[in-house]
Amino acid sequence: MKPLATVFDALADPTRLAIVERLLAEGETTAGDIAEPFAVSKPAVSRHLKVLEEAGVIERRVDRQWRRYRVRSEAMGEIDAWLQRYRQFWDGSLDRLEAVLLRKQRKAGNA
């Protein structure tokens, strides 16, 4: 897998992010179907697909004359693992803050 910064860089573009969201929602689809809803040329969509593929976010499969694309589950797993570390940090921090606030509330209620 490419460095996570490369993945995030590829996903930072709104069109590329929309392509990935569409692939996640619909599953594997052709380049032509991917390009359909976008207000950019098919060559521009092809360039976006190439960036996503080079970043390891999507993969391409040749099916006769069609190129079919899908999201690589490994890429989503690595993003999720990275986010999980921060979820744990913030969950723990917020739990500690809640405990402090509850103690202060109880003290104020007893005073």
Side-chain angles (χ1 to χ4, degrees), residues 12-74:
D13 180 88
T15 301
R16 290 194 289 267
L17 182 59
I19 288 169
V20 171
E21 287 176 336
R22 185 159 184 219
L23 287 171
L24 286 168
E26 297 177 12
E28 185 179 79
T29 190
T30 65
D33 287 342
I34 292 169
E36 193 175 297
F38 295 103
V40 295
S41 67
K42 286 186 180 184
V45 170
S46 291
R47 286 191 295 275
H48 285 302
L49 291 170
K50 183 178 180 182
V51 169
L52 289 167
E53 188 175 9
E54 288 176 351
V57 177
I58 64 171
E59 58 190 3
R60 174 177 37 137
R61 180 176 68 86
V62 178
D63 179 19
R64 293 174 290 213
Q65 71 265 31
W66 295 285
R67 304 295 179 262
R68 297 187 178 277
Y69 293 87
R70 65 178 167 223
V71 174
R72 292 183 66 246
S73 60
E74 299 88 356

